[in-house]
């Protein structure tokens, strides 16, 4: 009777809870619904409904093309829920849950919708199954609490109370240790047991029977046990739980419980800093979770370590490294089959593009002896996961082939497992050739590692050298015959499992075909014949190697001669261009200097030319558009800082221009003080037409700290050279100023770099962007030049959260049609590649790929000792070729002949005609005046 009363009371409580969960306006809650709007609003509703139907159809078609489009699944579910398409909604959720683990919000919406429609016991069982699936995706206290409360509604069924208790116990095992959310579950469990206790109380004035008394004692003990278990766990607000227990219990709290409670309080104090850091941090809180994980790993409690990993993964489910660390901990420490395999399964469902997670999953299934058919099924899923690199497919195939090889008993001549292994090898080779090469334009396995492993298995384990030779022959026909290491691999295999005849044959072919290291192959052949060959074999090997090496040396000599001829031709062309420019310049100057006064003024300036070549940095105007070449890699001398006139106006008469330039030329030269490099930044790529650079730049850099001095660099004619030095009072201000790099100033990107003496640090380079593979960043090419950052962001944000967009421009600030787009994680980036590659933007078809810049090929540095040995070193051009302003100034070239290393002027080595034609003779030195008269000579 008491048990029946307990079930009735609990059922009433469940019904009340169900009413609370029903939304307003639901028929079961008794809410009123009324029709609103007139015919116009009805028409608008019909239009909106048609639009939604069309959008639903579009989303379904898109998912039929790419089922792994996460955002598309979300949009479809949202629209179907809005339209009330319950059947389609259930199907859409089902499909998404098969591909991805669902978030807490998606599961709660799904569960609440199903709970509303579940009235019969059979439908309730389906809801229970849905809850079971939900709690497996992530450890979520809210879902467990919802699950337990829903189970109370079925307490009237047979075994209902025990089922509720079972669910509560599982919930406590999963999330009962959650520091911030675990208390709610403990309290809900105690409230349930208290409700059972109330129904077991005898009626007032009656004497309880022995059975009732025993039930009361049993129920009281259950509640005591719950309190004591909870007080031994570090949970927020556990002081209130302790006070509640003191008030509820008629007996004093045992000393052992108090001791456990105090110990839990101490542990809570240690956890609080990490919990507070999580509360104050912004999503995704990865660093804070990692610190918390490290703390729990030192403590060493497996249950707490597992829980903190699960909490971290709930908020960082798309971080492959976090899944990898968690799975590694489970594989090496806990080793519980169900727990390990569940974690691996969730890992690959969250990050299907990460091949390492799939490989670990296959290994875990093999370790726990999962059925072969299931392992094969998981492997097939991995092949359809959409990896972003061709090499990923090679790795997953290799892992699966390793698994199949370990299943084979090679003591038997033939077996089902061996045939399966061979067919898998053949399928892997074909798959890489067809599927992977078609998608990536490469197989991902240029050295044929899979076929090499197949050949080793056939030779070593199956004693089938004939098959191994066929495989190696196939490997060599795929472009590997020119590599010595490939021939030596085959030779070693023949040496270990073949015979001397085939070893000799392989080495003879290697000598004939190898092009990278023929000397090494020849040496191996001679060594073989020295040990095992006859005199005839030795003579044949010597003759073959000598002939081969003679041909190789002849080819190398011809290649060197051809390169030298090309270098000489290039030098001659460069010399002709320099002479042509010099003649044109002389002709122009002759036309401009017809009057005697003008000629006299220029003669007076001859003494300045040598100074300008020595003291000015080697930046030159490239054209009126303001584009400039790269700065010289050495510290330069600047002109003065004070007493300069304002910006020149176009309508100034000639005498005023002369006065303005003269005032700047008269300012004494100021050498750069290298001892202040730590508080100085070098600013370049500024507009030549910038008016009053000191004032303009001071306004820009004052926000970084107190500016001590700004030193713009001017030519001897008084024009601004486009760069300057900014000196601060403090070093931290200079470091902060580096943040202004690439800031647009007067239509051009301003370059700000540390002030480093390139003579002392020749290898110093400043490049602010990564040059390695970044899986969360995209490289987009083919953009129209008119495309703005905002327009590109509108295109990209539809596929994920865009963190940053960088449009690539040239030095003049003009777009190059390229861009880098950084997403929040790898998943969004890979989805964007699939959707945006080949997209048309303003009638331009763009190309989209994961950012992986190619390695830069740096030019070889000239050796100091070789500069004097050759007549004319090859000219070294800058990154953009030879510019129009790269003229050969004789005085500068002559002065640099005695330097151990020729310095490049604007990116090219300067040599005088005398040095190139007669290298053995010392060039005749000319004064600046002689050189000027030579240029002006008609």
């Amino acid at each position: 009777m008491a048990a029946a009363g307990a079930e009735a009371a609990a059922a009433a409580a469940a019904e009340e809870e169900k009413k609370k969960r029903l939304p307003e306006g639901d028929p079961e809650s008794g809410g009123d619904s009324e029709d609103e709007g007139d015919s116009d609003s009805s028409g608008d509703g019909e239009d909106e409904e048609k639009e939604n139907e069309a959008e639903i159809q579009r989303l379904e078609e898109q998912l039929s093309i790419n089922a792994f489009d996460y955002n598309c699944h979300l949009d479809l579910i949202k629209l179907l829920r809005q339209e009330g398409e319950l059947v389609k909604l259930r199907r859409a959720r089902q499909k998404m849950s098969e591909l991805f683990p669902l978030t807490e919000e998606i599961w709660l919406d799904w569960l609440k919708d199903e709970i509303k429609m579940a009235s019969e016991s059979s439908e309730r069982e389906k809801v229970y199954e849905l809850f079971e699936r939900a709690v497996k995706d992530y450890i979520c206290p809210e879902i467990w609490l919802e699950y337990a409360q829903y189970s109370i509604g079925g307490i009237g069924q047979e075994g209902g109370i025990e089922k509720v208790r079972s669910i509560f116990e599982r919930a406590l095992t999963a999330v009962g240790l959650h520091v911030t959310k675990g208390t709610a579950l403990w309290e809900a469990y105690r409230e349930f047991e208290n409700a059972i206790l109330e129904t077991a109380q005898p009626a007032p004035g009656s004497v309880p029977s022995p059975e009732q008394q025993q039930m009361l004692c049993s129920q009281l003990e259950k509640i005591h046990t719950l309190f004591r278990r909870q007080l031994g766990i570090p949970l927020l607000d556990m002081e209130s739980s302790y006070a509640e227990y003191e008030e509820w219990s008629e007996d004093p709290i045992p000393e052992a419980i108090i001791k456990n409670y105090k110990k839990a309080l101490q542990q809570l104090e240690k956890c609080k800093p990490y919990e507070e850091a999580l509360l104050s941090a912004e999503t995704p809180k990865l660093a804070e979770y990692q610190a918390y994980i490290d703390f729990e790993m030192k403590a060493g409690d497996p249950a707490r370590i597992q829980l903190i990993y699960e909490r971290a993964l709930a908020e960082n489910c798309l971080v492959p490294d976090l899944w990898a660390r968690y799975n590694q901990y489970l594989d090496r420490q806990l080793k519980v089959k169900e727990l390990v395999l569940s974690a691996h399964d969730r890992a690959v469902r969250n990050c299907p593009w990460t091949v390492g997670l799939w490989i670990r999953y296959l290994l875990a299934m093999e370790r726990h002896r999962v059925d072969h058919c299931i392992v094969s099924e998981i492997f097939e899923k991995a092949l359809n996961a959409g990896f972003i690199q061709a090499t990923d497919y090679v790795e997953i195939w290799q892992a699966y082939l390793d698994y199949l090889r370990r299943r084979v008993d090679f003591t038997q001549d033939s077996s089902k497992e061996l045939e399966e292994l061979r067919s898998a090898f053949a399928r892997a080779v074909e798959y890489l050739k067809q599927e992977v090469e078609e998608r990536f334009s490469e197989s991902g396995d240029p050295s044929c590692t899979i076929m090499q492993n197949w050949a080793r298995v056939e030779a070593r384990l199956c004693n089938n050298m004939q098959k191994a030779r066929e495989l190696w022959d196939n490997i060599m026909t795929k472009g590997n015959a020119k590599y010595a290491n490939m021939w030596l691999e085959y030779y070693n295999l023949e040496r270990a499992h073949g015979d001397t005849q085939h070893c000799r044959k392989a080495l003879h072919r290697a000598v004939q075909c190898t092009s990278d290291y023929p000397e090494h192959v020849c040496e191996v052949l001679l060594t073989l014949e020295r040990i095992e060959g006859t005199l005839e074999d030795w003579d044949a090997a010597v003759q073959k190697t000598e002939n081969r090496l003679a041909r190789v040396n002849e080819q190398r000599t011809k290649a060197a001669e051809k390169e030298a001829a090309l270098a000489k031709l290039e030098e001659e062309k460069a010399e002709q261009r320099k002479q042509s420019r010099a003649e044109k310049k002389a002709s122009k100057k002759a036309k401009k200097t017809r009057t005697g006064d003008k000629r006299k003024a220029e003669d007076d300036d001859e003494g300045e030319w040598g100074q300008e070549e020595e003291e000015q940095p080697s930046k030159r105007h490239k054209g009126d558009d303001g584009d400039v070449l790269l700065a010289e890699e050495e510290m330069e001398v600047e002109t003065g800082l004070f007493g300069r006139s304002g910006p020149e106006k176009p309508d100034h008469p000639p005498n005023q221009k002369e006065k303005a330039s003269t005032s700047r030329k008269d300012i004494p030269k100021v050498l750069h003080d290298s001892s202040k490099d730590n508080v100085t930044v070098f600013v370049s790529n500024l507009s030549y037409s910038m008016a009053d650079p000191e004032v303009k730049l001071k306004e820009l850099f004052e926000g970084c700290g107190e500016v001590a001095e700004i030193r713009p660099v001017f030519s001897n004619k008084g024009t601004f050279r486009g760069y300057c030095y900014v000196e601060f009072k403090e070093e931290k201000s200079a470091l902060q100023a580096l943040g202004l790099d690439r800031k647009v100033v007067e239509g051009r990107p301003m370059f700000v770099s540390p002030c480093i003496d390139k003579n002392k640090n020749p290898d110093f380079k400043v490049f602010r962007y990564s040059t390695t593979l970044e899986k969360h960043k995209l490289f987009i090419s083919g953009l129209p030049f008119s495309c703005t950052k905002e327009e590109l962001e509108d295109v990209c944000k539809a596929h994920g959260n865009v963190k940053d967009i960088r449009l690539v421009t040239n030095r003049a600030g003009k777009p190059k049609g390229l861009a880098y787009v950084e997403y929040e994680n790898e998943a969004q980036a890979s989805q964007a590649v699939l959707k945006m590659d080949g997209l048309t933007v303003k009638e331009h078809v763009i190309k989209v790929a994961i950012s992986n810049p190619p390695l830069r090929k740096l030019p070889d540095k000239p050796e100091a000792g070789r500069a004097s040995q050759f007549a004319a070193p090859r000219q070294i051009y800058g990154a953009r070729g030879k510019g129009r302003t790269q003229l050969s100034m004789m005085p500068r070239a002559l002065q640099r002949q005695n330097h151990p290393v020729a310095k490049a002027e604007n990116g090219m080595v300067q040599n005088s005609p005398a040095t190139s034609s007669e290298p053995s003779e010392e060039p005749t030195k000319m004064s600046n005046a002689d050189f000027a008269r030579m240029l002006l000579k008609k």
Side-chain angles (χ1 to χ4, degrees):
M1 293 291 292
E7 292 183 358
E15 187 64 28
E16 185 65 27
E17 182 64 29
K18 180 178 178 181
K19 289 181 179 179
K20 290 179 182 178
R21 287 200 300 267
L22 287 172
E24 293 182 7
D26 192 285
E28 290 187 31
S29 65
D32 296 331
S33 61
E34 43 182 66
D35 297 330
E36 296 181 357
D38 51 17
S39 58
D40 293 338
S41 63
S42 176
D44 294 341
E46 291 178 0
D47 294 340
E48 183 179 355
E49 186 177 346
K50 289 180 180 178
E51 291 177 3
N52 288 344
E53 288 178 358
E55 181 65 12
I56 289 170
Q57 186 176 357
R58 186 190 70 81
L59 292 171
E60 288 175 341
E61 291 175 356
Q62 192 166 342
L63 286 174
S64 65
I65 298 171
N66 179 19
F68 288 91
D69 191 333
Y70 189 87
N71 292 327
C72 192
H73 280 286
L74 291 180
D75 295 340
L76 179 61
I77 289 172
K78 182 179 178 181
L79 271 178
L80 290 174
R81 195 165 191 250
Q82 180 180 334
E83 291 296 310
E85 297 281 352
L86 299 181
V87 177
K88 289 185 177 181
L89 176 61
R90 183 179 291 168
R91 191 185 307 125
R93 283 167 167 165
Q94 182 69 28
K95 286 183 178 179
M96 185 177 183
S97 68
E98 290 172 358
L99 296 173
F100 304 101
L102 305 185
T103 63
E104 179 182 323
E105 294 77 10
I106 298 175
W107 271 120
L108 288 174
D109 287 342
W110 189 358
L111 290 165
K112 289 176 181 177
D113 289 345
E114 294 292 344
I115 288 171
K116 292 176 190 175
M117 295 184 287
S119 56
E120 300 178 1
S121 59
S122 60
E123 294 173 341
R124 288 186 65 84
E125 288 300 321
K126 292 181 180 179
V127 176
Y128 282 130
E129 293 175 4
L130 202 59
F131 269 114
E132 288 295 331
R133 289 172 54 190
V135 296
K136 289 178 181 177
D137 276 356
Y138 300 108
I139 288 185
C140 299
E142 288 81 1
I143 293 179
W144 274 110
L145 187 59
E146 188 75 19
Y147 189 10
Q149 290 175 343
Y150 178 73
S151 67
I152 295 174
I155 200 173
Q157 299 176 359
E158 184 178 354
I161 293 179
E162 292 307 317
K163 185 171 185 177
V164 174
R165 284 176 177 155
S166 172
I167 292 172
F168 266 119
E169 287 295 335
R170 289 174 57 202
L172 291 180
T173 302
V175 293
L177 299 178
H178 198 298
V179 176
T180 57
K181 298 182 179 180
T183 304
L185 269 170
W186 287 99
E187 291 178 350
Y189 196 0
R190 285 204 318 273
E191 287 177 7
F192 169 74
E193 295 294 354
N194 274 318
I196 300 297
L197 178 64
E198 290 295 327
T199 60
Q201 295 287 349
S206 63
V207 178
S209 64
E211 292 81 7
Q212 289 177 327
Q213 190 67 36
Q214 184 180 358
M215 181 180 176
L216 280 172
C217 292
S218 174
Q219 191 63 25
L220 283 170
E221 185 59 30
K222 284 185 173 65
I223 299 173
H224 273 290
T225 303
L226 281 175
F227 267 118
R228 292 167 183 173
R229 287 168 61 191
Q230 180 182 355
L231 292 175
I233 299 172
L235 300 171
L236 287 183
D237 200 28
M238 59 187 305
E239 296 88 349
S240 301
S241 301
Y242 182 79
E244 184 182 347
Y245 186 31
E246 279 186 317
E247 182 181 352
W248 180 85
S249 177
E250 297 177 355
D251 302 324
I253 300 177
E255 195 65 31
I257 303 302
I258 297 175
K259 185 178 179 180
N260 290 339
Y261 167 69
K262 290 181 178 179
K263 185 178 179 181
L265 272 178
Q266 292 175 355
Q267 192 173 356
L268 178 62
E269 290 303 317
K270 294 178 182 178
C271 296
K272 272 186 177 180
Y274 298 99
E275 294 290 347
E276 290 170 358
L278 289 174
L279 288 173
S280 59
E282 296 182 359
T283 305
K285 311 177 185 179
L286 188 58
E288 290 76 13
Y289 272 119
Q290 188 56 55
Y292 206 163
I293 290 169
D294 294 340
F295 164 74
E296 294 291 1
M297 290 288 281
K298 290 178 182 178
D301 185 344
R304 298 191 63 81
I305 293 172
Q306 181 194 354
L307 178 63
I308 191 59
Y309 262 120
E310 291 286 354
R311 287 177 61 186
L313 288 167
E315 295 192 50
N316 298 275
C317 58
L318 299 178
V319 180
D321 290 342
L322 187 59
W323 280 108
R325 291 196 295 271
Y326 181 40
N327 290 337
Q328 180 178 312
Y329 171 77
L330 295 177
D331 287 333
R332 295 180 179 178
Q333 302 297 327
L334 296 187
K335 302 180 182 179
V336 179
K337 179 178 178 179
E338 292 75 13
L339 186 61
V340 169
L341 295 182
S342 171
H344 280 288
D345 180 66
R346 290 185 293 134
V348 297
R349 290 175 66 203
N350 275 285
C351 307
W353 65 89
T354 307
V355 67
L357 296 178
W358 288 100
I359 292 174
R360 288 187 178 90
Y361 194 7
L362 293 176
L363 290 171
M365 287 190 290
E366 182 182 4
R367 202 174 289 123
H368 292 282
R369 305 184 185 281
V370 176
D371 289 343
H372 173 61
C373 59
I374 298 177
V375 178
S376 300
E377 182 181 341
I378 294 300
F379 169 71
E380 294 298 333
K381 286 184 178 179
L383 289 181
N384 296 319
F387 300 131
I388 60 178
Q389 296 181 98
T391 53
D392 291 345
Y393 287 94
V394 180
E395 291 180 30
I396 192 65
W397 267 111
Q398 192 59 65
Y400 184 59
L401 292 168
D402 292 345
Y403 157 74
L404 293 179
R405 195 265 307 161
R406 288 189 285 266
R407 294 182 69 243
V408 179
D409 181 5
F410 289 100
T411 58
Q412 301 178 11
D413 293 337
S414 180
S415 65
K416 179 182 176 182
E417 289 80 9
L418 179 57
E419 292 306 316
E420 184 178 4
L421 174 62
R422 283 173 171 159
S423 64
F425 268 118
R427 183 189 167 200
V429 173
E430 189 66 21
Y431 186 90
L432 294 177
K433 181 181 177 181
Q434 299 291 336
E435 303 289 335
V436 177
E437 195 165 345
E438 180 180 346
R439 178 180 171 189
F440 296 97
S441 301
E442 58 166 328
S443 68
D445 191 17
S447 57
C448 302
T449 55
I450 287 181
M451 292 182 70
Q452 287 188 48
N453 291 331
W454 188 2
R456 294 187 188 104
V457 168
E458 293 288 354
R460 297 175 185 175
L461 301 177
C462 301
N463 299 317
N464 188 353
M465 275 304 299
Q466 183 61 35
K467 180 64 176 178
R469 292 180 186 121
E470 292 176 5
L471 290 170
W472 268 104
D473 187 64
N474 196 359
I475 291 171
M476 292 306 183
T477 59
K478 294 183 180 295
N480 292 302
K482 58 185 177 181
Y483 300 117
N485 68 310
M486 300 296 289
W487 283 107
L488 295 179
E489 282 285 342
Y490 175 39
Y491 166 74
N492 290 331
L493 191 68
E494 282 285 1
R495 193 77 171 145
H497 307 285
D499 52 55
T500 305
Q501 180 182 354
H502 283 92
C503 288
R504 182 176 291 114
K505 183 178 178 181
L507 289 177
H508 276 274
R509 289 179 62 194
V511 168
Q512 192 68 28
C513 301
T514 301
S515 60
D516 55 350
Y517 298 105
E519 294 88 351
H520 188 38
V521 175
C522 291
E523 182 181 351
V524 175
L525 175 59
L526 293 176
T527 302
L528 173 68
E529 301 299 1
R530 181 176 285 114
I531 296 173
E532 300 188 20
T534 64
L535 178 60
E536 290 78 9
D537 295 332
W538 172 260
D539 290 340
V542 169
Q543 183 180 357
K544 187 151 193 171
T545 55
E546 287 179 351
N547 292 339
R548 175 59 178 161
L549 292 179
R551 288 198 302 272
V552 168
N553 290 330
E554 183 181 351
Q555 292 171 356
R556 290 174 179 172
T557 302
K558 288 182 179 179
E561 290 175 354
K562 184 177 180 181
E563 185 178 355
L566 290 174
K568 186 176 180 180
L569 180 62
E570 185 64 29
E571 290 167 5
E572 291 175 356
K573 289 181 179 179
E575 189 62 35
Q576 291 175 3
R577 287 195 292 267
K578 287 193 289 185
Q579 291 178 359
S580 175
R581 287 183 183 133
E583 291 173 1
K584 288 181 181 179
K585 186 173 182 180
S587 175
K588 289 180 181 178
K589 286 203 172 187
K591 292 179 181 179
K592 292 180 181 178
T593 56
R594 292 176 181 173
T595 62
D597 293 341
K598 184 73 175 180
R599 180 63 175 268
K600 182 178 179 181
E602 289 186 353
D603 287 339
D604 292 338
D605 285 342
E606 287 176 0
E608 296 289 335
W609 289 13
Q611 276 189 334
E612 180 175 338
E613 288 303 316
E614 287 184 359
E615 296 178 351
Q616 289 180 352
S618 51
K619 279 193 176 181
R620 296 288 189 268
H621 290 274
K622 186 175 180 181
D624 295 335
D625 60 352
D627 203 4
V628 295
L629 293 174
L630 297 174
E632 184 75 23
E633 291 188 349
E634 57 185 343
M635 286 302 170
E636 301 290 350
V637 180
E638 307 109 29
T639 56
L641 302 167
F642 307 103
R644 296 190 296 105
S645 61
E648 296 178 0
K649 296 182 180 179
D651 56 349
H652 273 178
N655 59 346
Q656 291 180 355
K657 288 184 180 180
E658 289 177 8
K659 289 179 182 179
S661 62
T662 303
S663 66
R664 284 172 177 156
K665 285 194 288 183
D666 292 341
I667 297 174
K669 307 291 182 182
V670 180
L671 290 173
H672 174 71
D673 185 359
S674 59
S675 65
K676 297 183 178 180
D677 283 352
N678 63 323
V679 294
T680 307
V681 294
F682 179 67
V683 184
S684 59
N685 202 44
L686 298 169
S687 173
Y688 293 111
S689 60
M690 179 180 286
D692 208 353
E694 288 110 324
V695 177
K696 178 71 175 178
L697 294 175
K698 190 170 184 180
E699 293 175 357
L700 286 173
F701 287 95
E702 274 181 337
C704 303
E706 185 177 356
V707 178
E709 192 176 34
I710 296 179
R711 300 192 297 278
V713 181
F714 296 90
S715 68
N716 283 344
K717 295 183 179 180
T719 58
F720 181 45
R721 299 291 301 277
Y723 56 97
C724 69
Y725 295 84
V726 180
E727 182 183 324
F728 292 90
K729 292 285 188 182
E730 298 179 349
E731 184 176 356
K732 64 179 182 180
S733 302
L735 295 174
Q736 187 175 348
L738 297 176
L740 297 178
D741 187 34
R742 265 68 175 182
K743 179 179 176 63
V744 178
V745 178
E746 296 189 1
R748 297 172 63 85
M750 173 180 68
F751 298 164
V752 184
S753 58
C755 195
I756 302 294
D757 189 342
K758 295 293 182 64
N759 291 328
K760 298 178 181 178
N761 300 276
D763 296 329
F764 178 79
K765 297 291 180 185
V766 177
F767 191 69
R768 62 184 295 189
Y769 303 109
S770 173
T771 57
T772 59
L773 174 65
E774 296 179 279
K775 295 184 179 180
H776 66 291
K777 186 180 290 186
L778 305 184
F779 173 68
I780 303 177
S781 59
L783 289 167
F785 292 158
S786 60
C787 182
T788 64
K789 185 176 180 179
E790 291 74 18
E791 291 172 341
L792 183 58
E793 185 176 6
D794 290 339
V795 176
C796 297
K797 69 183 182 182
H799 313 297
N801 297 326
V802 177
K803 293 181 65 177
D804 184 44
I805 292 180
R806 175 166 65 93
L807 294 176
V808 181
T809 62
N810 61 17
R811 287 177 154 263
K814 297 179 181 179
K816 299 174 70 175
L818 309 173
Y820 289 91
V821 180
E822 182 179 356
Y823 279 94
E824 197 171 65
N825 51 58
E826 297 175 20
Q828 296 176 357
S830 43
Q831 287 294 328
V833 170
L834 294 174
K835 289 190 176 182
M836 294 173 56
D837 189 29
L839 189 68
T840 301
V841 177
K842 293 186 176 181
E843 299 182 355
H844 285 68
V845 178
I846 64 173
K847 294 183 178 179
V848 184
I850 297 295
S851 176
N852 188 14
L855 295 176
R856 294 192 173 192
K857 296 183 179 179
L858 299 176
D860 295 335
K861 296 181 181 178
E863 298 181 15
R866 294 185 180 179
S868 59
Q869 296 176 9
F870 298 97
R874 291 186 62 188
Q875 292 177 331
I876 304 172
Y877 297 105
R880 299 188 298 173
K882 182 176 178 182
R884 290 184 287 117
T885 60
Q886 293 175 330
L887 299 179
S888 174
M889 295 301 184
M890 183 70 70
R892 188 169 191 134
L894 293 174
Q895 291 166 8
R896 292 191 174 188
Q897 287 301 314
N898 297 327
H899 291 185
V901 180
K903 191 65 182 177
E905 170 71 16
N906 278 346
M908 62 181 289
V909 177
Q910 302 294 340
N911 298 284
S912 67
T915 59
S916 60
S917 60
E918 297 179 5
S920 60
E921 298 179 6
E922 184 177 352
T924 305
K925 294 185 178 179
M926 301 175 64
S927 67
N928 294 329
D930 292 338
F931 182 60
R933 278 192 288 273
M934 183 186 72
L935 288 178
L936 296 173
K937 186 177 180 180
K938 295 184 180 180

